[in-house]
Amino acid sequence: MNITLITGATGGLGRAFAQIFAQKKNNLFLVSTKEDKLKEMKEGLEKEYGITVHYLSADLSNKDELKKVYEYSTQNGFFVDNLINNAGFGKLGNVAELTPTDQASMIDLNCRALTVFTALTLPYITKKSGILNVSSIASFAPTPRMTVYSATKAYVTAFSKGLREELRSHQISVLTVCP
């Protein structure tokens, strides 16, 4: 089944991307930590647009949960038309103020999960497909009290630029959004 896979699907940009791709009659696989919102989105999008929506509640900063999403995708025979890496978060505070756990979680979700998830799904992405990675304007202008967040988003931007060149000959587009 060809599908658009969206992480961080239940709020903000992720929810908007789900709506846009549903309007274009793309089947969806939505991933978020908020199972109640995923179920609500599934029911609403299927009813309104006549598409198939799969969902899985998972914390992508957790290696086991990341693996769970990958296994669900392969078990269901998904071929990814569009991968939207939207999951991410930031905590405001100086490096000395934030807990090491909060800082590691930002790095795990914003960088490691995006990278691993992209690598795991690449064998299932079809030609003329696209990968959209959500970064931030903070990737270009690191600021105090957002040091770790800015650094993670700089990684996303740099990773996306390199990946775009690597996948160009495979006819897979890579786009970075920097709100």
Side-chain angles (χ1 to χ4, degrees):
M1 170 188 289
N2 288 14
I3 204 146
T4 295
L5 195 161
I6 304 171
T7 67
T10 57
L13 289 173
R15 193 173 189 92
F17 288 133
Q19 186 77 28
I20 290 165
F21 282 93
Q23 288 173 353
K24 295 178 180 256
K25 300 298 185 193
N26 283 258
N27 294 317
L28 303 175
F29 178 25
L30 308 177
V31 180
S32 171
T33 57
K34 299 173 179 97
E35 187 162 10
D36 57 332
K37 289 186 178 183
L38 285 166
K39 184 177 180 183
E40 172 192 312
M41 287 178 68
K42 173 187 171 53
E43 292 168 358
L45 292 170
E46 285 183 340
K47 183 178 180 182
E48 186 169 352
Y49 299 106
I51 61 169
T52 300
V53 178
H54 294 264
Y55 72 87
L56 196 58
S57 177
D59 176 358
L60 298 180
S61 66
N62 178 308
K63 293 176 187 177
D64 294 331
E65 299 268 314
L66 188 63
K67 185 178 178 184
K68 180 173 82 170
V69 175
Y70 170 72
E71 288 172 350
Y72 184 91
S73 297
T74 56
Q75 289 168 357
N76 285 284
F78 294 160
F79 290 95
V80 180
D81 285 322
N82 302 287
L83 170 61
I84 301 175
N85 284 310
N86 179 63
F89 82 98
K91 280 229 170 186
L92 185 63
N94 292 330
V95 173
E97 298 168 351
L98 296 173
T99 68
T101 301
D102 285 343
Q103 293 178 57
S105 292
M106 265 190 281
I107 294 166
D108 286 346
L109 182 57
N110 297 355
C111 300
R112 188 184 53 79
L114 176 137
T115 305
V116 170
F117 204 64
T118 299
L120 290 173
T121 57
L122 275 175
Y124 303 96
I125 293 178
T126 58
K127 280 188 175 185
K128 297 188 180 177
S129 294
I131 297 172
L132 187 148
N133 291 328
V134 177
S135 184
S136 169
I137 195 165
S139 70
F140 304 108
T143 58
R145 301 195 43 77
M146 292 180 63
T147 303
V148 176
Y149 176 77
S150 297
T152 65
K153 292 305 183 171
Y155 173 86
V156 172
T157 300
F159 174 79
S160 300
K161 287 180 178 180
L163 185 64
R164 178 185 175 111
E165 293 308 314
E166 289 179 14
L167 297 179
R168 184 183 305 272
S169 65
H170 298 282
Q171 298 178 351
I172 297 171
S173 298
V174 179
L175 176 67
T176 312
V177 178
C178 297

